[in-house]
């Protein structure tokens, strides 16, 4: 599996390398010649679209990795906003409830093919759950590094899969890189958010959306693909997908890639607004969309380049807008975590910026269900069994 730097083009066959000497992340090399020149006839899992990426991919086997992806594309008329026709990709339907299962599936399958038995990750959210679950299903050892101050309910959600849980003191952003290094030395494969195997797996979200659109009546891609951005790994995968499909001649008009951050912690959106091509780390404040609050995103520059290269944008939305969007998702019958609700909240700024217009079509990627995100004050009524017949008086 040759790895190549998206920015300087340097290549390496070192299977353990995740960063280029220039500092930017590597991704698996896509070979348009190796990719099919037609869309798959059926999509039951991510493995049906993965060949479109043209990378050297593992076999999924018949265990948990085979179950990742294959989520539907839902037409959500109640969410249509300002003349934009919307579709939603509910990634909460993955085995552990988030899009992270795609990258994990690729990583676990590739590790198993190499006879590796030890994986790890640096996460306190969806990715931690996903990697711990994938490792448990495959009987692999798993180490999850979490921040020392992790909330109890988050810890419990990860712990149920039985990984080795390590609370880490110090700069959590720095830990991302330290863990990759330590794992490389010790033979533990860290499936961190922008590791090449993970990004290849995450690319299947966009591949699926575009394959699903290709099978609709007019066969055209949506005008925009909107997804939350945190580390930039998923955004990078979407860009890799669009690039490979374009090279294979399958996209006449590629979608604009639009990424959304929470305003309280929006280093990529701020760099985009300034017109920069480098992301500068921010201090970062608290937001209800905590799972995308990454103050120093390891693939931030690549996400920024993806938005620019596709005439897309990176925008930021505040917590009240995210809350309102979450309520609208619920009104459309979809359970999504606040990070996913940002995609709907982004429509207004995207229209204001002229990225989206009346008559456009957009696909929102609802990245996760967010099982643990309750806690709001709930108003209820109460009834005694003897008085049930009076409920609807
Ligand atoms: Zn480079």
């Amino acid at each position: 599996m040759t790895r190549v730097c998206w920015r300087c083009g340097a290549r390496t066959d070192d299977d353990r390398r995740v960063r280029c000497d220039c500092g930017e992340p590597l991704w698996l090399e896509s070979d348009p010649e190796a990719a099919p020149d037609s869309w798959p006839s059926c999509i039951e899992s991510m493995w049906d679209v993965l060949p479109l990426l043209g990378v050297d991919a593992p076999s999924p086997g018949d265990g948990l990795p085979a179950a990742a992806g294959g989520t539907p594309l839902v037409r959500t008329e109640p969410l249509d906003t300002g003349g934009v026709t919307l579709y939603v990709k509910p990634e909460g339907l993955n085995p552990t409830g988030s899009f992270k299962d795609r990258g994990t599936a690729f990583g676990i399958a590739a590790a198993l093919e190499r006879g590796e038995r030890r994986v790890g990750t640096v996460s306190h959210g969806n990715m931690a759950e996903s990697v711990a679950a994938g490792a448990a299903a495959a009987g692999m050892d798993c180490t999850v590094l979490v921040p020392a101050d992790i909330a109890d309910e988050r810890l419990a959600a990860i712990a149920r899969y039985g990984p080795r849980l390590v609370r880490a003191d110090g700069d959590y952003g720095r830990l991302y890189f330290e863990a990759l290094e330590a794992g490389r030395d010790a033979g533990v494969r860290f499936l961190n958010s922008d590791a090449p195997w993970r990004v290849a797996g995450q690319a299947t979200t966009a591949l699926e959306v575009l394959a699903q659109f290709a099978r609709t009546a007019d066969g055209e891609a949506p005008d925009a693909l909107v997804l939350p951005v945190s580390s930039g790994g998923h955004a990078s995968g979407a860009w890799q997908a669009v690039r490979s499909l374009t090279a294979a001649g399958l996209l006449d008009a590629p979608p604009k890639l639009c990424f959304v951050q929470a305003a309280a912690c929006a280093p990529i959106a701020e760099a985009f607004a300034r017109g920069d091509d480098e992301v500068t780390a921010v201090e970062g404040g608290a937001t209800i969309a905590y799972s995308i609050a990454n103050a120093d995103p390891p693939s931030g520059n690549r996400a920024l380049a993806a938005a620019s290269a596709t005439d897309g944008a990176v925008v930021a939305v505040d917590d009240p807008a995210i809350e309102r969007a979450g309520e609208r998702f619920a009104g459309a019958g979809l359970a999504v975590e606040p990070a996913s609700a940002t995609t709907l909240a982004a429509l207004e700024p995207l229209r204001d910026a002229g990225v989206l217009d009346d008559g456009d079509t957009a696909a929102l990627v609802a990245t996760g269900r967010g099982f643990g995100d309750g806690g709001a004050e709930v108003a209820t009524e109460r009834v005694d069994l003897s008085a049930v017949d009076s409920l609807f008086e």
Side-chain angles (χ1 to χ4, degrees):
M1 289 190 192
T2 302
R3 296 166 175 224
V4 59
C5 174
W6 71 274
R7 177 170 269 178
C8 77
R11 301 164 82 237
T12 175
D13 287 321
D14 182 344
D15 185 43
R16 292 254 169 203
R17 284 204 65 176
V18 297
R19 317 291 298 187
C20 179
D21 288 336
C22 79
E24 286 298 304
L26 299 167
W27 54 17
L28 299 187
E29 189 167 51
S30 284
D31 176 7
E33 298 290 313
D37 57 5
S38 62
W39 300 101
S41 55
C42 101
I43 305 169
E44 291 188 350
S45 76
M46 62 176 249
W47 303 94
D48 292 320
V49 295
L50 185 58
L52 293 165
L53 200 61
V55 300
D56 187 6
S59 161
D62 56 5
L64 188 67
T71 59
L73 185 68
V74 186
R75 168 76 180 103
T76 50
E77 197 175 341
L79 300 186
D80 287 355
T81 304
V84 178
T85 300
L86 291 182
Y87 290 77
V88 171
K89 184 82 169 154
E91 286 295 290
L93 293 172
N94 277 289
T96 70
S98 88
F99 74 108
K100 290 289 188 183
D101 286 341
R102 297 171 181 272
T104 300
F106 191 110
I108 295 279
L112 287 175
E113 273 193 356
R114 285 161 178 70
E116 298 176 10
R117 307 302 307 169
R118 299 165 79 196
V119 292
T121 197
V122 177
S123 166
H124 55 298
N126 293 326
M127 187 163 58
E129 286 193 56
S130 181
V131 173
M140 302 170 92
D141 287 335
C142 179
T143 300
V144 178
L145 294 166
V146 300
D149 60 354
I150 184 172
D152 285 346
E153 65 268 24
R154 287 253 40 104
L155 201 58
I158 304 164
R160 62 185 156 174
Y161 301 108
R164 175 183 172 211
L165 275 166
V166 183
R167 288 180 195 260
D169 292 298
D171 180 349
Y172 201 62
R174 194 58 233 152
L175 183 65
Y176 183 96
F177 298 102
E178 296 292 336
L180 285 170
E181 281 292 310
R184 195 175 162 189
D185 293 343
V188 179
R189 183 79 68 161
F190 268 79
L191 303 175
N192 284 2
S193 57
D194 76 341
W197 282 353
R198 174 167 295 285
V199 171
Q202 306 301 174
T204 62
T205 315
L207 291 175
E208 273 180 30
V209 169
L210 296 168
Q212 286 163 325
F213 264 93
R215 293 161 66 192
T216 61
D218 61 12
E220 287 186 7
D223 295 289
L225 187 60
V226 187
L227 57 158
V229 59
S230 176
S231 68
H234 200 195
S236 300
W239 193 28
Q240 194 178 13
V242 166
R243 286 160 61 117
S244 64
L245 293 173
T246 303
L250 284 171
L251 285 181
D252 291 335
K256 297 172 179 176
L257 295 179
C258 302
F259 308 128
V260 198
Q261 301 209 280
C265 187
I268 309 175
E270 287 167 17
F272 185 86
R274 287 192 301 264
D276 293 352
D277 59 5
E278 297 270 346
V279 174
T280 307
V282 297
E283 193 70 32
T287 165
I288 55 171
Y290 64 86
S291 64
I292 54 167
N294 191 326
D296 190 9
S299 277
N301 296 338
R302 192 163 53 175
L304 203 54
S308 298
T310 58
D311 296 324
V314 191
V315 297
V317 292
D318 63 21
D319 279 12
I322 297 170
E323 270 182 31
R324 287 194 299 276
E327 287 164 9
R328 286 192 63 205
F329 264 109
L334 293 167
V336 304
E337 63 179 8
S340 301
T342 62
T343 56
L344 184 61
L347 290 186
E348 204 175 300
L350 287 172
R351 277 182 56 93
D352 290 347
V355 179
L356 280 174
D357 209 344
D358 276 0
D360 280 352
T361 301
L364 313 182
V365 180
T367 42
R369 281 181 62 98
F371 292 104
D373 285 327
E377 193 83 11
V378 179
T380 59
E381 298 173 76
R382 194 156 181 162
V383 69
D384 187 82
L385 185 59
S386 63
V388 169
D389 59 354
S390 66
L391 259 186
F392 303 106
E393 282 175 356

Short mmCIF file of all heavy atoms in Angstrom, two decimals, residues 5 8-10 20 22 24, ligand 1:
data_model
loop_
_atom_site.label_atom_id
_atom_site.label_comp_id
_atom_site.label_asym_id
_atom_site.label_seq_id
_atom_site.Cartn_x
_atom_site.Cartn_y
_atom_site.Cartn_z
N CYS A 5 1.90 11.89 -0.08
CA CYS A 5 1.57 13.15 0.58
C CYS A 5 0.66 13.96 -0.33
O CYS A 5 0.98 14.20 -1.50
CB CYS A 5 2.85 13.93 0.88
SG CYS A 5 2.53 15.58 1.54
N CYS A 8 2.89 17.59 -1.06
CA CYS A 8 4.14 17.67 -1.82
C CYS A 8 4.33 16.48 -2.77
O CYS A 8 5.24 16.49 -3.59
CB CYS A 8 5.33 17.81 -0.88
SG CYS A 8 5.83 16.28 -0.06
N GLY A 9 3.45 15.46 -2.65
CA GLY A 9 3.52 14.34 -3.59
C GLY A 9 4.55 13.28 -3.24
O GLY A 9 4.70 12.30 -3.98
N ALA A 10 5.27 13.45 -2.12
CA ALA A 10 6.27 12.45 -1.73
C ALA A 10 5.57 11.11 -1.49
O ALA A 10 4.44 11.06 -1.00
CB ALA A 10 6.99 12.91 -0.47
N CYS A 20 4.18 12.80 6.30
CA CYS A 20 5.25 13.10 5.36
C CYS A 20 6.36 13.88 6.09
O CYS A 20 6.11 14.48 7.14
CB CYS A 20 4.67 13.93 4.23
SG CYS A 20 5.85 14.44 2.96
N CYS A 22 7.31 16.60 5.21
CA CYS A 22 6.88 18.01 5.19
C CYS A 22 5.89 18.30 6.31
O CYS A 22 5.45 19.43 6.49
CB CYS A 22 6.28 18.37 3.83
SG CYS A 22 4.57 17.82 3.56
N GLU A 24 2.81 17.06 6.66
CA GLU A 24 1.40 16.82 6.31
C GLU A 24 1.08 15.32 6.35
O GLU A 24 1.97 14.48 6.23
CB GLU A 24 1.11 17.40 4.92
CG GLU A 24 1.04 18.92 4.91
CD GLU A 24 -0.09 19.44 5.79
OE1 GLU A 24 -1.24 19.04 5.59
OE2 GLU A 24 0.19 20.26 6.69
ZN1 LIG B 1 4.74 16.16 1.94
#
